[in-house]
Amino acid sequence: MDTAEAIASQAQELRRGTVVLACLALLTTPQYGYALLETLDAAGVAVDGNTLYPLLRRLEKQGLLTSEWNTDESRPRKFYRISAAGAAVRDGLIGEWHDLVDTIDRLTKEA
């Protein structure tokens, strides 16, 4: 494996854990899955639909998201929104994120 491949592989691992926080941060306003995929992609958080949809279902099952179907249009869409429990988890994760960024920043400056 060359350096570029190793960086790409490790960068994917780094981003994998951030998708939950990104979703919880974005879902303060209701969005359906495809729109969320586009919003994440535009923000630079590349995630596949085969990853996002199971994640949304898991977060809903955990009580961190709520959902409802919009059947007003010709194609029904399931909209997701963060729950009160999800907002509390999001806020805690933001604190963890800032602590982690500070730690990594300090470690990389020392290197």
Side-chain angles (χ1 to χ4, degrees):
M1 177 182 296
D2 68 10
T3 303
E5 290 174 8
I7 291 170
S9 174
Q10 294 305 315
Q12 182 179 9
E13 290 297 319
L14 282 173
R15 285 191 293 270
R16 186 169 286 145
T18 63
V19 176
V20 169
L21 179 55
C23 288
L24 293 175
L26 288 172
L27 289 172
T28 56
T29 57
Q31 292 191 53
Y32 61 98
Y34 186 74
L36 183 59
L37 271 174
E38 289 182 330
T39 302
L40 288 167
D41 188 53
V45 181
V47 61
D48 185 75
N50 292 327
T51 300
L52 181 65
Y53 292 108
L55 172 68
L56 292 172
R57 288 190 294 274
R58 188 181 90 231
L59 294 175
E60 183 179 19
K61 187 175 181 181
Q62 293 171 347
L64 304 180
L65 298 179
T66 61
S67 68
E68 63 182 60
W69 285 96
N70 179 340
T71 56
D72 294 341
E73 300 176 23
S74 60
R75 184 174 175 210
R77 293 181 175 165
K78 190 173 189 179
F79 282 78
Y80 294 90
R81 177 191 299 232
I82 193 168
S83 66
V89 169
R90 177 203 58 215
D91 293 346
L93 289 175
I94 288 171
E96 293 289 330
W97 174 259
H98 287 294
D99 290 347
L100 182 60
V101 167
D102 290 345
T103 299
I104 296 298
D105 190 45
R106 188 174 61 252
L107 291 171
T108 56
K109 283 181 181 173
E110 293 171 4

